[in-house]
Amino acid sequence: LRLCLGGWGSLVNPTGVAACPESGRLAVAHDGKKRIHVFGPSGVCLRRFGERGDAGNDIKYPLDVTVTSDGHVVVTDGGDCSVKAFDFEGRGVLAVREGFCLPWGLDATPKSEVILTDSEAGALYRLAADFRRGELKKCQMIRSRLVSPRAVAVCQTSGAVVVIEHLKARGPGKGSTRVKVFSAEMDLIGQMDSFGLNLVFPSRIHATAVAFDKEGRVIVTDVCSQAVICLGKPEEFPAFNPLISHGLSYPVGLTYTADDSLVVLDSGDHSIKVYSS
C-alpha cells in the first residue's frame, strides 16, 4: 500500500473511482454533499463538485465515474437515469437522459468514447460526444440480453470490454455474479461465473468492480473474501491469482493509473487505497 486517501467523513458511501490517463488525477463518486471529489496524484483533494439537487449540474445519486483522455469527468446518475459530463473545474458540459432505464457502470476508451451498462435494460451502450462543445454525437446500444450488468471496463490496448452481471438468487442468498468479456467487435470471448470460480477457489466470490491491467488481464474486486483477484486473460479463464488479500473491508471500485498503480475504492472504511505495481 503506497497511499490511503479519504477515510471516515470525507467520502460517504463511495460508489466509483477513475484515473485521468493524462494527469494522474483521481475522480471519486460518493453520496456526500458534493458528489464528485478530484484528488491529485499526491493525495490532495483538488476540487469537489456535483451538488445534490435538481439543477442541470447537480447529481442526485452517482453510481459510477470515469475520466476521458481529453480530461472530462463522466458520471452515471441513478437518481434521474442520466449520464452527465463535467470538466475538471466542475462545470457541467453535457447531460444525456434519452432512453436509459438505469445507467450504472462506465469506462472510457482511448478515443474518449464511453462504454456504459444499463442495469435495468440489460444492455451495453457506446456513447460518443464532443465534450468540449457539449455535443452528443451518438449513443448506440452495442449489446443486449445481459443480466443486470453493472461494472464495466475497456482494455486500453485491445478494445475488449469486460462486464460484471448480477444474477438473481435461487432460493435464499445474495445471488451470484458472472464476468463476461467481449472483443472490440462485441463477440463473446470468455466468461466465468461464481460456480466456475468455486471450482478453482474454495470460497464464494461476489465480484463488484472490474478493470484490465496493461497486459490485458481481467482484475476484479471480491467483497466476500475482501480481496482483489486477477482472473487472467479471457482466453486463460479460469485463472485465479489474489493480488491483494488483506487490508480491504468492502472493495467496490477499481482502476489503474498511467504509472500502473492499482487504485481500490473501499466502501467499508470510505477510503481510496493506492498500491504500487
Side-chain angles (χ1 to χ4, degrees):
L1 179 64
R2 198 184 81 221
L3 195 63
C4 186
L5 320 177
W8 293 103
S10 59
L11 298 173
V12 182
N13 298 327
T15 52
V17 63
C20 177
E22 300 296 321
S23 66
R25 287 178 286 193
L26 292 173
V28 181
H30 73 117
D31 197 26
K33 186 181 177 190
K34 294 192 175 180
R35 292 349 195 23
I36 305 298
H37 285 198
V38 177
F39 293 91
S42 64
V44 175
C45 186
L46 305 175
R47 196 163 305 281
R48 299 175 174 89
F49 60 87
E51 298 268 0
R52 184 199 309 251
D54 296 314
N57 288 359
D58 291 346
I59 299 172
K60 293 190 174 188
Y61 190 75
L63 290 171
D64 200 5
V65 62
T66 190
V67 181
T68 64
S69 55
D70 63 5
H72 289 88
V73 179
V74 187
V75 183
T76 44
D77 190 341
D80 61 5
C81 298
S82 67
V83 177
K84 295 169 181 172
F86 303 83
D87 63 19
F88 263 126
E89 301 302 309
R91 291 183 289 256
V93 296
L94 182 67
V96 184
R97 293 183 171 84
E98 303 90 48
F100 297 126
C101 297
L102 185 58
W104 197 294
L106 75 176
D107 196 18
T109 74
K111 295 179 179 177
S112 289
E113 294 185 334
V114 173
I115 305 294
L116 69 110
T117 62
D118 188 322
S119 183
E120 211 165 279
L124 201 57
Y125 286 87
R126 182 188 307 274
L127 190 151
D130 184 334
F131 292 113
R132 287 194 174 90
R133 294 184 175 183
E135 294 175 3
L136 177 66
K137 292 180 178 177
K138 68 174 179 182
C139 185
Q140 172 189 12
M141 185 189 291
I142 54 175
R143 191 82 193 194
S144 60
R145 298 182 182 178
L146 298 172
V147 181
S148 297
R150 295 190 186 172
V152 64
V154 180
C155 181
Q156 300 298 298
T157 49
S158 70
V161 176
V162 59
V163 180
I164 295 178
E165 294 179 300
H166 286 244
L167 311 178
K168 301 279 192 297
R170 291 177 188 166
K174 279 184 173 178
S176 61
T177 55
R178 179 166 58 202
V179 179
K180 275 188 175 173
V181 188
F182 301 97
S183 68
E185 296 75 36
M186 295 314 296
D187 297 316
L188 183 65
I189 54 175
Q191 70 175 10
M192 189 188 296
D193 58 20
S194 297
F195 175 77
L197 283 168
N198 286 156
L199 299 178
V200 291
F201 185 62
S203 77
R204 183 173 168 272
I205 288 178
H206 195 88
T208 43
V210 66
F212 282 100
D213 69 8
K214 66 178 182 180
E215 308 297 332
R217 292 179 288 249
V218 176
I219 315 296
V220 296
T221 54
D222 171 36
V223 293
C224 289
S225 63
Q226 302 166 317
V228 176
I229 299 160
C230 174
L231 301 180
K233 295 182 179 180
E235 60 270 21
E236 300 168 350
F237 280 4
F240 183 87
N241 177 27
L243 301 180
I244 302 166
S245 54
H246 59 273
L248 300 174
S249 52
Y250 202 87
V252 295
L254 197 61
T255 191
Y256 275 93
T257 62
D259 68 358
D260 210 33
S261 296
L262 178 59
V263 181
V264 183
L265 182 63
D266 195 335
S267 182
D269 61 7
H270 303 223
S271 69
I272 310 155
K273 291 161 182 171
V274 184
Y275 297 84
S276 301
S277 59

